[in-house]
Amino acid sequence: LRGDPASASPYIASLPEPPETINLWSKEQQVLGEAMLGRNHLSMYKPLVSAITNAAANGCKGKFDAVKQPPPTEQEVFDSFHFILSRLSHMRLIPVADLANAAAPGEATARIMADGKICAIIAKGEVRKGQELLIDYNHRDAITLLASYGFTGGLEHERSMTRLKFDAGPALLRATGSASARYASEGVQLLDEEEAGLHADAFLCARWQQMNEHELALALNYGWDSGTNSKIDPAVQSVLAKAETRGCQALQATCKVAMDVVHEWEDLADRLPGV
């Protein structure tokens, strides 16, 4: 459609070349990428792409004949689909707004708003002269950002690809609320910015994961946060320290599982030519 007199042609003409998203990687890179993603990213969209391809070949054939162009192949639709995904926001392609670059996690200065027929970039605060408006691309690790947008944003140097998951029984859920449920289901990343490698609340949930109802009640009542506290009865300190040790041992086992996954990725990369 580039150069076509249709109303969308100026926008289409302004689009950059497609980024190196996962659909453009070599087969070997795709195998490794999907192993690291933990899902079959490419197959997920195959049924939809096939439906679009069939619709273009059958339902729109007359329009392609009119411009003396063949309908797109399934691979062309697949690549175009991924290009659209790399620019999509609120299920729309929004001119100008889709030029906004990605912010580092937690550092977005703007957001894209879509309300009916109105789309806009809304700044989150005062905008200084020359300041770039950055939006949240909603990716928290390097491989998902690379697969979807063709760049990593340096996240491989700031946070781990693997996520540590731990148990969150009913007692821990009651004591810590939704945080422990999220960490248990989604896992937590190791963060370079944190001295302990984890956010304090995530580390607390990990340490408390093996506590029973009584031990958690003691921990909350005494404001327990590991170490010696002269205001806590030594017997209580001993109970809580032992319970926390069990949690740390469980966290250590979780870390070993995560490292085993990393070693599997490394072994896979060694076996794949050209990776």
Side-chain angles (χ1 to χ4, degrees), residues 130-183:
Q131 178 184 357
E132 183 179 10
L133 294 179
L134 302 172
I135 63 174
D136 189 346
Y137 277 29
N138 296 308
H139 289 268
R140 297 295 179 260
D141 56 58
I143 188 62
T144 59
L145 200 55
L146 184 64
S148 300
Y149 294 98
F151 69 95
T152 67
L155 292 184
E156 70 273 26
H157 303 299
E158 300 173 6
R159 50 187 59 213
S160 65
M161 273 298 312
T162 55
R163 284 173 167 76
L164 307 179
K165 295 186 178 183
F166 49 82
D167 294 329
L172 184 63
L173 289 173
R174 285 192 292 272
T176 59
S178 60
S180 57
R182 184 175 75 254
Y183 298 144

Side-chain angles (χ1 to χ4, degrees), residues 37 45 74 121 132 139 148 154 163 187 207 216 220 243 256:
L37 288 166
Y45 297 114
E74 185 159 328
I121 300 178
E132 183 179 10
H139 289 268
S148 300
R163 284 173 167 76
R207 287 171 16 222
L216 281 167
L220 291 170
K256 183 182 183 304

Side-chain angles (χ1 to χ4, degrees), residues 18-27 30 41-43 45-54 56-57 70-84:
E20 290 291 321
T21 48
I22 189 170
N23 59 296
L24 300 177
W25 299 358
S26 69
K27 293 298 183 184
Q30 289 174 353
H41 183 91
L42 296 168
S43 295
Y45 297 114
K46 286 286 188 182
L48 178 57
V49 168
S50 295
I52 295 172
T53 305
N54 290 332
T73 65
E74 185 159 328
Q75 186 60 51
E76 289 172 333
V77 173
F78 194 64
D79 291 339
S80 296
F81 181 78
H82 276 81
F83 179 46
I84 290 171

